[in-house]
Amino acid sequence: MTDDTRWLDEEEQHAWRVYLRGTALVMETLDRDLQQHGVSLSEYEILALISESPERHQRMSTLAAAVVQSRSRLTHTAARLERRGWVQRRQSPHDKRGVELCLTEEGYAVVARLAPIHVAGVRRVLMGPLGRRSFLRLGALLDTVANGPAGAE
């Protein structure tokens, strides 16, 4: 049996390790900023996405894909947010099999209160060190990773 693995060379391995460490540090820092206010980064991301949706509701399956969570994990997170009175689950009026997560007024107030804290963290841990131009370039590069290169099959 032959090994056809294309191993990472030294520079590629370094880039990979720095990527892992950097993303972990960014996520941990942003999560810690929000945890001081009783909300995790993943909970905030869900609330923020719903708050940006028309009429402040979004289909659970769409949310799960957007935040890269299994439907089961999103269901557990939604239950926690629902117990806090920040969201409500309802059957989709367009598809009776679908479930939507709706942001309550209290939930919207939480997003409004935490958004400046979150944005300040993003500016501090990413935009500060990178600068705007590099930050936007990073976004474009990661968009390629998230959505695949143009023309890919």
Side-chain angles (χ1 to χ4, degrees), residues 50 53 57-65 71 74 90-102:
I50 300 169
S53 298
H57 61 86
Q58 200 166 110
R59 195 176 174 92
M60 294 273 290
S61 58
T62 303
L63 269 174
R71 289 183 187 188
L74 179 65
R90 73 171 187 206
Q91 191 172 33
S92 171
H94 307 292
D95 174 4
K96 299 299 180 193
R97 294 178 300 160
V99 176
E100 294 181 342
L101 206 55
C102 307

Side-chain angles (χ1 to χ4, degrees), residues 37-105:
H37 302 275
V39 178
S40 71
L41 180 58
S42 72
E43 291 169 337
Y44 174 79
E45 184 180 15
I46 291 164
L47 294 171
L49 284 171
I50 300 169
S51 77
E52 296 166 359
S53 298
E55 300 176 27
R56 297 184 191 155
H57 61 86
Q58 200 166 110
R59 195 176 174 92
M60 294 273 290
S61 58
T62 303
L63 269 174
V67 298
V68 192
Q69 287 187 11
S70 68
R71 289 183 187 188
S72 172
R73 182 172 174 203
L74 179 65
T75 298
H76 289 292
T77 304
R80 280 195 315 274
L81 297 173
E82 200 169 28
R83 282 191 298 273
R84 293 178 183 171
W86 297 347
V87 298
Q88 293 177 336
R89 282 183 267 196
R90 73 171 187 206
Q91 191 172 33
S92 171
H94 307 292
D95 174 4
K96 299 299 180 193
R97 294 178 300 160
V99 176
E100 294 181 342
L101 206 55
C102 307
L103 194 63
T104 64
E105 287 302 318

